[in-house]
Amino acid sequence: MSNAPQQPGQITPDPSIPLPPLHLRMGGRHFKQDADFVAAGVRDAKLLRQRAGLGRRKRVLDWGCGAGRLAVGIKHLIGNVADYHGVDIQPELLNWAKDHLSDEHTRFTLVDAHNARYNPDGTPSFEIPADDASVDVLYAYSVFSHMLTHDLAGYGATIARILAPDGHAWITAFVEEDVPDCVENPPDYLKLEWSGALHCVRYDRRFLEATLWEAGLAVDEFVYGKETDGQSMYVLRKR
Ligand SMILES: C[S@@+](CC[C@H](N)C(=O)[O-])C[C@H]1O[C@@H](n2cnc3c(N)ncnc32)[C@H](O)[C@@H]1O
């Protein structure tokens, strides 16, 4: 990743909230300074509050949570929500988060799902461990940006199933207009060099939105190109 989203203002990290060591921070080179890591989590928690209804009574599913950047942001911004549930497939990151950030409102679950980039030996699955209609706010930052169409459709259906009737999903993805439906590591895209499995998966906007629609999700909001490395942001709801 080379272009991190801009962080408004400086944040002083609360020393009582543990922060993951640098090597466990996804997008680590943007986050050499603790303040930058915390600011990125707080920024997203604020956006979730403004656009996806995040609040202290809400049930949050942080899908692809890494070492808990959003959990750190929520702890700094509002203390806690009713239930924060972080899910990831990388044991080292997830276990750090579980050991250091868990509390009565904050939990983490490791799943062994296959992803060619992050867990190549995992089992093919579209599992997100949550009951039907049990999630008020689903956050997936830079997760579909490392997934091909099969996973987009399969996990899209899972998200539609676990969202509460008035819940929202806030996701990011690489999206452009009038490009091939799905390309892994598009050459010269965004002036960055993409290499290795699923480093950058770019979607055609119409294709991505149609696939999510088929999966049971409608687009509430789309903001082009302002997230990490030029990803776009979607707010989705059950259709
Ligand atoms: C680029 S990182 C983003 C981490 C975090 N969302 C953040 O913004 O700091 C993508 C994350 O998605 C996780 N991931 C990929 N496939 C997954 C899956 N099928 N289920 C859960 N997590 C997954 C990876 O392990 C990785 O931690």
Side-chain angles (χ1 to χ4, degrees), residues 148-187:
L148 300 172
T149 53
H150 181 66
D151 280 339
L152 176 68
Y155 279 114
T158 302
I159 291 170
R161 181 175 57 73
I162 64 176
L163 269 187
D166 56 354
H168 292 92
W170 196 99
I171 69 163
T172 68
F174 290 104
V175 180
E176 301 295 337
E177 309 229 346
D178 301 321
V179 293
D181 290 350
C182 174
V183 179
E184 181 179 6
N185 298 338

Side-chain angles (χ1 to χ4, degrees), residues 1 25-27 31 37 44 62-70 87-90 93 111 113-115 117-119 125-128 139-143 145-147 151 155 231:
M1 298 203 267
R25 298 177 191 177
M26 296 301 300
F31 297 135
F37 183 80
D44 287 3
D62 183 0
W63 179 51
C65 64
R69 186 172 61 81
L70 180 68
V87 174
D88 207 286
I89 57 176
Q90 296 189 74
L93 278 61
V111 291
H114 169 82
N115 178 283
R117 182 171 187 78
Y118 294 109
N119 191 24
S125 125
F126 301 131
E127 187 201 356
I128 304 178
Y139 170 83
Y141 197 102
S142 205
V143 182
S145 38
H146 309 289
M147 287 187 176
D151 280 339
Y155 279 114
Q231 292 181 61

Side-chain angles (χ1 to χ4, degrees), residues 25 36 65 84 90 92 103 184 211:
R25 298 177 191 177
D36 294 338
C65 64
Y84 165 95
Q90 296 189 74
E92 204 187 359
D103 57 36
E184 181 179 6
T211 304

Side-chain angles (χ1 to χ4, degrees), residues 51 170-173 221-225 227 231-235:
R51 292 168 139 137
W170 196 99
I171 69 163
T172 68
E221 191 180 353
F222 172 72
V223 178
Y224 173 74
E227 301 303 321
Q231 292 181 61
S232 299
M233 180 277 281
Y234 279 102
V235 179

